[in-house]
Amino acid sequence: MNILDAEFVKGFIRLTDDAFRQGWHERNGGNLSYRIRPEEAAQINENFDGTKPFVEIGARVPQLAGEYFLVTGSGKYFRNVVLAPEDNIAIIEIDGKGENYRIVWGLAHGGRPTSELPSHLMNHEVKKIATNDRHRVILHSHTVNVIALTFILPLEDRVFTRELWEMATECPVVFPDGVGVVHWMVPGGREIAVETSEMMKKYNVAIWAHHGTFCSGTDLDETFGLMHTVEKSAEILVKVLSMGGKRQTIQSGEFRELAKAFNVTLPEKFLK
Ligand code: 13P
Ligand code: ZN
């Protein structure tokens, strides 16, 4: 099968276009990765080029040994993916130790996977284990309103979780575990990858102060939807703060009622 005919590739391309249109991906901002199912790889692997050299990931991900990922390219623009997917995205193969990768398709005119590959792969590894192989997508976006809030709110998981939950009734149902906040760090390396993957052990959302948001999910729709929900909630909060702040809000007892009605567990630490 032609790689561009595979459903997961079409969905990946559609997500990059949708996310660009949301205003989250200026220039080359943000990146996306998808952990390809073995049966999906089998459908297209006749097109793979196994001759490129392996390159260091910059992180160790032994639980991902031998896996294939579809990833955006470093310095590539989300808005161009739909026009020229082969130039802007790539399929990579992880080696048997989980320490190196090689490009087997894509980035046809050169380039390398996103500079946030260590964060993406470490998050994938954590989520693969934590969700028993269910989570397959990591999306990093430069979400305007979430970033704005990191200049105003204390950089604490509890504060961001509670504020975002309060801004839209269904938020606690969409991200019942809450969100984690990573203090400002240099992007693109192992250090920020380690901090973020620690957050991903607890949450599906990690906010990078003054930079953006990471979301993890089972599929492309769910992950895009999670980013969309978090960012919309942040937008409401920005509006509320701009209008002089909350005069009334959802109370802890009401969150407990919501949790019961929607059959989700909300950690008590966020209900104080
Ligand atoms: P890349 O172009 O390398 O993916 O970097 C964009 C970005 O958002 C870094 O955090
Ligand atoms: Zn970024």
Side-chain angles (χ1 to χ4, degrees), residues 24-26 28-31 114-116 140-142 147 187-188 208 211-214:
W24 305 336
H25 297 276
E26 79 293 340
N28 65 308
N31 20 78
T114 171
S115 59
E116 304 294 1
H140 165 55
S141 299
H142 292 177
I147 296 170
W208 282 1
H211 183 148
T213 310
F214 265 84

Side-chain angles (χ1 to χ4, degrees), residues 12 26 29 45 66 90 119 149 154 166 171 176 178-179 190 221 233 236 241 251 254 259-260 267:
F12 187 100
E26 79 293 340
N45 61 10
S119 283
L149 290 174
E166 285 181 28
C171 279
V179 304
R190 202 188 108 80
D221 267 354
S233 191
I236 297 168
L241 294 170
Q251 305 299 319
E254 292 171 328
K260 219 166 142 194

